[in-house]
Amino acid sequence: MHPGWRLDVAVQTPAHSALGSLLSYASTVPMSPGTLVRLPLGRREVLGVVWACAERTTDDDTRELKAVAGALDALPPLSESWRDLVSFAARYYQRSLGEVALAALPPQLRELSSQQLARRLKRRAAAPQGEAALPPHPVPPEGAGLAQLGPGGAQADVALPARLDPPRGAGLAQPGPGGHVPAVEIEPDAALPVDLSAEQTAALARFEAGNGPFLLFGSTGSGKTEVYLRAVAALLARDDAAQALIMVPEINLTPQLEARVRDRFEARFGAGAVVSLHSGMTNPQRLASWLAAHAGQARIVLGTRMAVFASMPSLKLIVVDEEHDPSYKQQEGARYSARDLAVWRGQRECAKVILGSATPSLESWHHSRPAESDDPGGRYVRLSMPGRIGDGALPTVRGVDMSLQPRKTVLSGALLEAIGQRIARGEQSIVFLNRRGYAPVLACADCGWKSECPYCSAYRVFHKIDRTLRCHHCGFTERVPRACPACGNPDIAPVGRGTERLEEHLAELFEAVKRPDGSAVRIARIDADSTRKQGALAQRLAEVHSGEVDVLVGTQMIAKGHDFRRVTLVAAVNPDGALFSSDFRAPERLFSLLMQSAGRAGRDASYLATRGSTAEMWIQTHHGGHPLFQALRRHDYPAFARQQLDERRAAGMPPFAFQALVRADARTQEAAQEFLHAANTAAEALSHAAQVARYPAVPLAIQRVANVERAQMLVESASRIALQRFLADWQPLLHALRREPVGKGVIRWLIDVDPHAI
């Protein structure tokens, strides 16, 4: 009797179970790697991905293997390149293979049986053109047997490259005779009424002729999105099967871009040619988009960081818009960087990659540095577009020295006058404050009580609109007390200011001011609270675009990506906090946020001309002489980047070193730090320990969340490979410590590679 086949399957096992990356199961027939299977795990039946298939022999081990329950064989197997991406991500970010693989699949796929999936695919295949019908693929009858093994075989493990980024020259275009890379002519799209600027034309020409990866460094309003869309259009026109992935950092940036992409491409390539992938979609919507991409029917996938794992068999172009944005770094589970994985995936699949930003991350800026006499230069190709479309000027940056203002001044008189002038002309202003809620804290002046969260080492924020105190860390919410809970004083008052209070304050200040048509001034707010309900964000953005709103108050949600044509003034109310943060990345994030905010003003040069107006960015600060603000006044990102990189080089910080955080969560801070101290001691015996610096364990900035104490330890090395090998060797020791007495008080631990916050 034939002994059958052994399948090595990636399964999502419990965190820190130490069960291994792959589990073995028995099958009566062979299966192709990448096949989705349902199989027993404990008392449950779960979804898994076949990673390898081998024929069992009589000399094979005699272990009794559980049999797979069935295969989702109506679906083409996941490609080798997709499995390589998952393998690399799991290995690099120190997570289990099954965790990354299953998290990359749509949740609803895990719930479907083979018969249910087959029925769904039949309905999609029979759908009229334009309803995301799948291309021809044989769908077996219900109850069909397991998939047959196709050509190929088990996937070999891919060695970790010396660097996460691809070597210079990796990409699509191949050199012709004599090593010359032929230029590719950019065909004009008859459906595009927009004329390209000279800078856009030059950037596209270099992109088509080169290999990349490319860093498109373009000022706000320079037309980076048009460059992306032209590159996509050229690709799809010359390759009938090619697919493109366009990534944006946040869900709230997708509607405007999605509408633009659909308008551009659906008339030419069909109604199902563009699909979205992000966490704001329902599970059925995500599954439909994923199936269309996996089958090759969707030519363009537009998504957030999760889309980097989309199964796209003919992927030829990846665009990462606003590549500097911290939202590309996953902060739960496998803490991957979607931007960095996009670059790696482009190398693996010979797809071109464009990273675009007006304020690139310092890592990308460093990787795109030009060659000099003593420096071969970076591995990225920098494409520069410093000018705005239509010869529009960047906004004038005006500073307000708050140390010269009366005490407790919220908005200076000069700023209020400037906003009033905009209202009188029918223009719009944005007032930016990166703190939501009415006030950061509610306090009693008599006894000193403050609205602390009982479960976190943080204050609960006062939200006046619903009279609640809400913790933004654990979510604990209570009604505002009628009197101080400690002393009974009824006179408890808000301290500090959030967007909700600022909105109220502006409404009071401009109550007597009228718009040009004589109507009352309209103040609106966009933050995580005001857009909590479904459709609220789209409605509020539509009101801004239509001109119904005169002054928009908001957090960083409004500071980037939006194209508000009537905005001529942007003001940052209180940006000083990040200047002196212990996190070395804080200045970079602040400069980016302020420069992106400034970019919302004056994007339409013709509108400014008809109004006889100018674009301005106002910054209220106590530290106007700080180098960050001096560079911002000149819109001089290169100068800011040079100063920051010099400091980081001297201090041995990224991108000149590589870091990871090991974090422990426990019921007490002592238990968390004791576990990390034991882990540090155990690491001394590892082979690469001498190449890795390990720092003492410290509490997190918010050390207690939901009654869980948190501590972390930083590890750092000048060698990425040394750090990776050290972490891989350290993992078994951490698992072992978790089972020892020192780990009994620990709830969980994790490793965060290339952390964004220290």
Side-chain angles (χ1 to χ4, degrees):
M1 184 176 179
H2 193 282
W5 280 261
R6 187 189 76 243
L7 305 179
D8 293 332
V9 185
V11 180
Q12 190 163 17
T13 54
H16 305 308
S17 60
L19 288 178
S21 294
L22 298 170
L23 301 182
S24 295
Y25 287 84
S27 173
T28 57
V29 296
M31 293 191 206
S32 299
T35 301
L36 296 176
V37 291
R38 299 202 64 82
L39 34 82
L41 182 65
R43 298 181 180 179
R44 301 175 296 141
E45 186 176 282
V46 299
L47 184 69
V49 183
V50 175
W51 228 255
C53 176
E55 188 174 2
R56 302 187 76 181
T57 66
T58 53
D59 297 331
D60 206 353
D61 62 64
T62 58
R63 289 179 300 162
E64 284 295 325
L65 298 179
K66 291 183 178 180
V68 295
L72 303 186
D73 48 5
L75 205 62
L78 292 157
S79 67
E80 182 181 4
S81 60
W82 184 89
R83 301 194 309 276
D84 284 352
L85 173 68
V86 169
S87 295
F88 172 77
R91 189 166 57 252
Y92 186 82
Y93 293 105
Q94 302 294 317
R95 307 298 292 196
S96 73
L97 188 64
E99 177 188 12
V100 177
L102 273 298
L105 299 175
Q108 195 173 39
L109 197 58
R110 306 172 208 170
E111 305 165 4
L112 298 178
S113 67
S114 178
Q115 293 80 7
Q116 290 171 325
L117 180 62
R119 285 196 295 269
R120 181 162 301 199
L121 292 177
K122 283 182 180 178
R123 289 197 299 269
R124 289 175 60 82
Q129 183 68 26
E131 293 186 18
L134 292 172
H137 180 75
V139 179
E142 293 181 16
L146 300 176
Q148 299 299 307
L149 180 66
Q155 173 204 349
D157 188 34
V158 180
L160 181 75
R163 305 191 70 123
L164 181 59
D165 308 294
R168 189 184 305 159
L172 285 174
Q174 300 299 318
H180 173 66
V181 179
V184 181
E185 184 178 352
I186 304 170
E187 297 182 3
D189 191 332
L192 303 180
V194 180
D195 292 329
L196 294 180
S197 68
E199 291 177 355
Q200 288 173 311
T201 301
L204 276 167
R206 288 192 65 195
F207 167 77
E208 293 290 352
N211 295 313
F214 300 90
L215 175 65
L216 181 58
F217 170 52
S219 67
T220 53
S222 63
K224 293 186 292 296
T225 302
E226 186 62 31
V227 171
Y228 305 151
L229 298 186
R230 292 291 181 108
V232 171
L235 169 69
L236 301 190
R238 66 174 174 260
D239 187 337
D240 291 338
Q243 294 175 294
L245 171 62
I246 303 176
M247 296 171 60
V248 292
E250 296 180 7
I251 295 172
N252 73 76
L253 297 178
T254 58
Q256 185 171 295
L257 180 58
E258 183 175 354
R260 188 170 173 181
V261 173
R262 289 188 185 279
D263 288 346
R264 181 71 61 89
F265 294 103
E266 284 194 335
R268 185 170 179 179
F269 297 104
V274 180
V275 299
S276 295
L277 272 177
H278 56 74
S279 60
M281 302 168 68
T282 65
N283 284 346
Q285 288 171 334
R286 283 173 62 178
L287 178 60
S289 293
W290 187 90
L291 289 172
H294 177 64
Q297 184 268 338
R299 305 294 303 280
I300 301 170
V301 174
L302 175 65
T304 51
R305 62 175 176 262
M306 68 165 60
V308 75
F309 288 109
S311 175
M312 302 175 69
S314 300
L315 181 64
K316 293 294 185 292
L317 172 63
I318 304 175
V319 174
V320 185
D321 191 25
E322 308 291 358
E323 66 88 29
H324 65 277
D325 199 288
S327 298
Y328 282 120
K329 184 70 157 68
Q330 171 76 10
Q331 295 299 332
E332 299 293 336
R335 300 191 168 204
Y336 62 87
S337 166
R339 178 201 65 204
D340 294 346
L341 287 181
V343 174
W344 193 93
R345 186 175 187 179
Q347 175 198 10
R348 170 61 180 82
E349 301 195 36
C350 292
K352 287 192 177 184
V353 179
I354 308 176
L355 310 177
S357 178
T359 54
S361 65
L362 290 178
E363 285 83 359
S364 296
W365 185 256
H366 178 68
H367 294 330
S368 68
R369 67 193 185 279
E372 297 179 355
S373 57
D374 57 344
D375 184 353
R379 300 176 304 283
Y380 298 177
V381 177
R382 187 183 298 171
L383 310 175
S384 294
M385 298 196 310
R388 278 188 154 184
I389 293 296
D391 297 323
L394 290 168
T396 301
V397 178
R398 301 187 181 280
V400 178
D401 188 345
M402 295 305 288
S403 64
L404 302 180
Q405 299 295 316
R407 191 168 177 269
K408 295 186 177 181
T409 295
V410 179
L411 297 169
S412 68
L415 175 56
L416 289 174
E417 183 180 354
I419 294 174
Q421 291 172 357
R422 263 62 183 184
I423 295 173
R425 292 198 296 261
E427 300 167 16
Q428 294 174 319
S429 301
I430 290 177
V431 180
F432 167 70
L433 175 63
N434 209 23
R435 178 182 288 160
R436 59 190 173 102
Y438 188 84
V441 63
L442 205 60
C444 173
D446 283 1
C447 71
W449 172 87
K450 292 183 176 63
S451 55
E452 294 179 343
C453 176
Y455 307 111
C456 305
S457 53
Y459 294 115
R460 284 176 292 164
V461 175
F462 172 40
H463 290 258
K464 185 177 181 180
I465 195 167
D466 58 1
R467 302 293 299 176
T468 61
L469 293 174
R470 188 183 311 156
C471 178
H472 290 174
H473 299 280
C474 72
F476 176 65
T477 303
E478 280 186 332
R479 298 287 296 174
V480 172
R482 294 182 179 274
C484 173
C487 71
N489 173 27
D491 189 20
I492 51 177
V495 177
R497 195 170 300 269
T499 50
E500 189 182 324
R501 192 177 188 184
L502 184 58
E503 177 190 23
E504 179 184 271
H505 186 57
L506 283 165
E508 294 171 351
L509 291 171
F510 291 108
E511 184 177 10
V513 178
K514 300 298 181 183
R515 307 175 75 185
D517 62 2
S519 61
V521 171
R522 172 81 186 277
I523 312 291
R525 172 168 53 92
I526 291 182
D527 56 25
D529 297 316
S530 67
T531 58
R532 197 177 300 274
K533 294 181 180 179
Q534 187 171 3
L537 175 61
Q539 178 183 349
R540 194 58 53 86
L541 289 174
E543 292 170 352
V544 177
H545 286 297
S546 67
E548 296 177 43
V549 173
D550 300 292
V551 182
L552 178 63
V553 178
T555 58
Q556 62 181 2
M557 288 179 66
I558 63 173
K560 49 196 174 184
H562 298 291
D563 191 12
F564 300 129
R565 312 304 289 182
R566 293 178 173 87
V567 170
T568 59
L569 181 147
V570 175
V573 174
N574 184 21
D576 289 350
L579 292 176
F580 308 104
S581 170
S582 60
D583 185 350
F584 72 90
R585 294 185 190 273
E588 176 185 2
R589 287 195 292 267
L590 177 61
F591 186 89
S592 172
L593 197 55
L594 293 177
M595 198 161 177
Q596 294 284 340
S597 300
R600 300 316 104 203
R603 297 176 71 87
D604 190 335
S606 61
Y607 179 80
L608 288 173
T610 59
R611 297 278 168 170
S613 184
T614 58
E616 294 181 344
M617 169 68 170
W618 288 66
I619 299 175
Q620 297 193 155
T621 175
H622 288 85
H623 306 280
H626 194 282
L628 184 149
F629 293 130
Q630 294 302 312
L632 190 66
R633 283 176 181 271
R634 304 187 302 271
H635 299 280
D636 195 349
Y637 172 82
F640 170 77
R642 183 166 54 250
Q643 177 259 335
Q644 285 289 302
L645 286 171
D646 287 345
E647 287 186 5
R648 292 194 187 183
R649 184 183 290 107
M653 290 180 175
F656 307 102
F658 306 95
Q659 297 178 329
L661 286 174
V662 183
R663 200 178 91 187
D665 296 351
R667 289 300 176 193
T668 67
Q669 184 65 210
E670 293 75 15
Q673 293 201 30
E674 186 180 1
F675 175 81
L676 294 176
H677 178 72
N680 191 14
T681 301
E684 292 175 359
L686 298 178
S687 57
H688 294 85
Q691 295 176 266
V692 178
R694 306 184 303 280
Y695 297 90
V698 295
L700 270 70
I702 306 295
Q703 73 176 55
R704 180 167 54 95
V705 172
N707 269 348
V708 173
E709 292 282 342
R710 310 183 303 169
Q712 65 185 21
M713 179 169 62
L714 176 68
V715 294
E716 188 176 70
S717 176
S719 166
R720 192 196 295 271
I721 288 184
L723 178 62
Q724 279 288 312
R725 290 175 177 169
F726 172 82
L727 294 174
D729 292 343
W730 205 12
Q731 282 258 20
L733 301 182
L734 292 167
H735 281 296
L737 282 173
R738 182 71 175 79
R739 295 188 293 269
E740 294 181 5
V742 72
K744 295 301 182 184
V746 174
I747 300 171
R748 56 186 168 266
W749 58 268
L750 60 87
I751 296 176
D752 185 358
V753 180
D754 299 337
H756 271 216
I758 302 297

